[in-house]
Amino acid sequence: MIKLCKVLIPLSIFLVFVQCMGSEHDPSENFDWLVGKWRRTNETPGKKTFEYWVKINETEYAGLAFTLHNSDTVNQEKMALLKSDGNWQLKVKTTDEKDFIAFEMTMQKDGLFECNNDSLPFPKKITYWRDGEMLKANVAGDSLQIPFEFSKIKK
């Protein structure tokens, strides 16, 4: 009985340790740094661009981006950051498109991700990252890049 206890107790401790380690999330898969209301700071004069991001659950974030010219909405995009089958995707849908366009996440680390879809002429690559208190993004094709800089809207 004592021999059995000497085996079972360490084995139980080891199994609990392994279970706890497995339940932790990879910090690079936490996109909470994206959540909030953001206003673009490098927009052309006369326009205002905003992005709003919310966390739905551990594997889904939803975003809405829109641009105002005076008080008219001149552009709007719905976005979703989703994990499916172990892989993250950024899905984007403008008002001109019937369905969401998927961009596969090709790189991610804490506070940064990059998504690609080489089948499109533009954009082929979308990158988001946190730079201090700023949210930055870059939308790129073969020869065109559009940088976005956002500051968080205070409540």
Side-chain angles (χ1 to χ4, degrees):
M1 181 70 168
I2 294 175
K3 286 182 181 182
L4 184 60
C5 287
K6 285 183 178 181
V7 171
L8 285 180
I9 291 173
L11 181 61
S12 298
I13 292 170
F14 175 75
L15 290 175
V16 168
F17 177 76
V18 168
Q19 182 65 30
C20 289
M21 291 299 291
S23 67
E24 290 183 16
H25 294 289
D26 183 347
S28 68
E29 290 193 357
N30 181 331
F31 301 100
D32 290 358
W33 51 269
L34 197 61
V35 173
K37 296 180 180 181
W38 303 90
R39 180 176 178 173
R40 187 174 178 189
T41 58
N42 65 335
E43 184 57 272
T44 58
K47 291 184 179 179
K48 296 177 185 175
T49 296
F50 301 90
E51 277 198 17
Y52 296 166
W53 285 93
V54 295
K55 182 176 184 175
I56 306 299
N57 56 47
E58 294 298 319
T59 60
E60 182 177 3
Y61 294 79
L64 175 67
F66 58 96
T67 300
L68 302 174
H69 181 68
N70 297 322
S71 58
D72 295 326
T73 303
V74 294
N75 187 38
Q76 182 177 326
E77 294 179 347
K78 293 180 182 176
M79 298 170 290
L81 190 57
L82 305 163
K83 186 175 187 180
S84 176
D85 297 326
N87 299 312
W88 284 93
Q89 286 186 331
L90 176 65
K91 294 187 174 187
V92 181
K93 182 182 180 304
T94 67
T95 54
D96 298 335
E97 294 157 341
K98 184 178 177 182
D99 296 315
F100 279 85
I101 296 172
F103 293 82
E104 299 295 323
M105 191 169 292
T106 55
M107 193 261 291
Q108 67 188 52
K109 56 185 179 181
D110 196 22
L112 177 132
F113 67 85
E114 181 177 285
C115 299
N116 290 288
N117 183 334
D118 289 331
S119 70
L120 301 173
F122 186 86
K124 289 182 181 284
K125 179 168 48 172
I126 300 174
T127 309
Y128 274 88
W129 69 97
R130 207 44 203 270
D131 185 6
E133 295 297 311
M134 302 287 290
L135 175 65
K136 294 188 176 183
N138 193 59
V139 178
D142 290 329
S143 61
L144 177 64
Q145 291 192 41
I146 304 172
F148 293 83
E149 296 180 357
F150 297 93
S151 63
K152 199 159 202 174
I153 298 172
K154 307 292 184 212
K155 293 183 181 186

